[in-house]
């Protein structure tokens, strides 16, 4: 977000503090000391000064710029979705694990040639699990019976998979194949 003539407010996912808003002074000037170190999807080591309302970025050193992501519009879109999900998910309590998950996703996205949507689905599923929204996938979530070798469906109104005898007749459930479950 722009701030004044030459500054910007930058949103940062930190390892210990969660999401931080900090001011990057002079970043919009052509001779900025930050250069490309504060670009979107860049993993950097930052030194901050704690201000009254906002922290101030004093120094930035790039660890991984994830350059190849910025060269492919599809990858930029998926990286934007992942970062937006992190920002909206209130990750303060598990910020180190969220940062590691995001870095894992960005590394995979940078290397990937195809299967980008599946990579995003994996990221979303792991983020939901990190936030405590993990569906029950090994037993029926209603009766507790094992699901191996049986017909089952995913109940969107419940907490996960349900066996054939417990399957609700509502439209909030859908049949799942064994290969889909493995994926």
């Amino acid at each position: 977000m722009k701030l004044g003539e030459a500054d910007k407010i930058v949103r940062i996912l930190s390892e210990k503090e969660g999401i931080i808003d900090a001011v990057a002074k002079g970043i919009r000037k052509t001779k900025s000391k930050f250069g490309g170190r504060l670009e979107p999807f860049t993993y950097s080591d930052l030194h901050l000064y704690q201000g009254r309302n906002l922290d101030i970025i004093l120094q930035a050193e790039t660890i991984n710029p994830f350059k190849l992501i910025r060269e492919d519009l599809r990858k930029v879109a998926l990286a934007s979705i992942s970062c937006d999900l992190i920002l909206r998910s209130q990750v303060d309590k598990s910020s180190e694990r969220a940062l590691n998950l995001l870095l894992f996703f960005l590394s995979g996205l940078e290397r990937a040639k195809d299967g980008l949507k599946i990579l995003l689905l994996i990221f979303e599923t792991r983020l939901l699990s990190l936030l405590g929204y993990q569906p029950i996938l090994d037993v029926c979530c209603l009766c507790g019976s094992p699901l191996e070798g049986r017909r089952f469906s995913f109940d969107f109104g419940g907490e996960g998979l349900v066996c054939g005898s417990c399957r609700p007749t509502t439209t909030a459930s859908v049949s799942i194949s064994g290969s889909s479950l493995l994926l």
Side-chain angles (χ1 to χ4, degrees), residues 138-154:
D138 54 346
V139 296
C140 175
C141 67
L142 298 176
C143 69
S145 64
L147 296 169
E148 293 179 13
R150 297 176 64 187
R151 293 176 39 113
F152 44 87
S153 59
F154 190 86

Side-chain angles (χ1 to χ4, degrees), residues 16-32:
K16 295 177 182 160
E17 301 295 322
I19 297 167
I20 299 172
D21 289 333
V23 176
K25 294 209 175 268
I27 194 168
R28 292 171 40 210
K29 291 182 179 177
T30 54
K31 294 184 180 183
S32 170

Side-chain angles (χ1 to χ4, degrees), residues 51-69:
R52 277 183 276 157
N53 298 326
L54 293 169
D55 292 347
I56 299 169
I57 302 172
L58 300 175
Q59 184 178 351
E61 294 193 30
T62 302
I63 297 172
N64 189 343
F66 295 110
K67 241 187 221 182
L68 296 177
I69 291 175

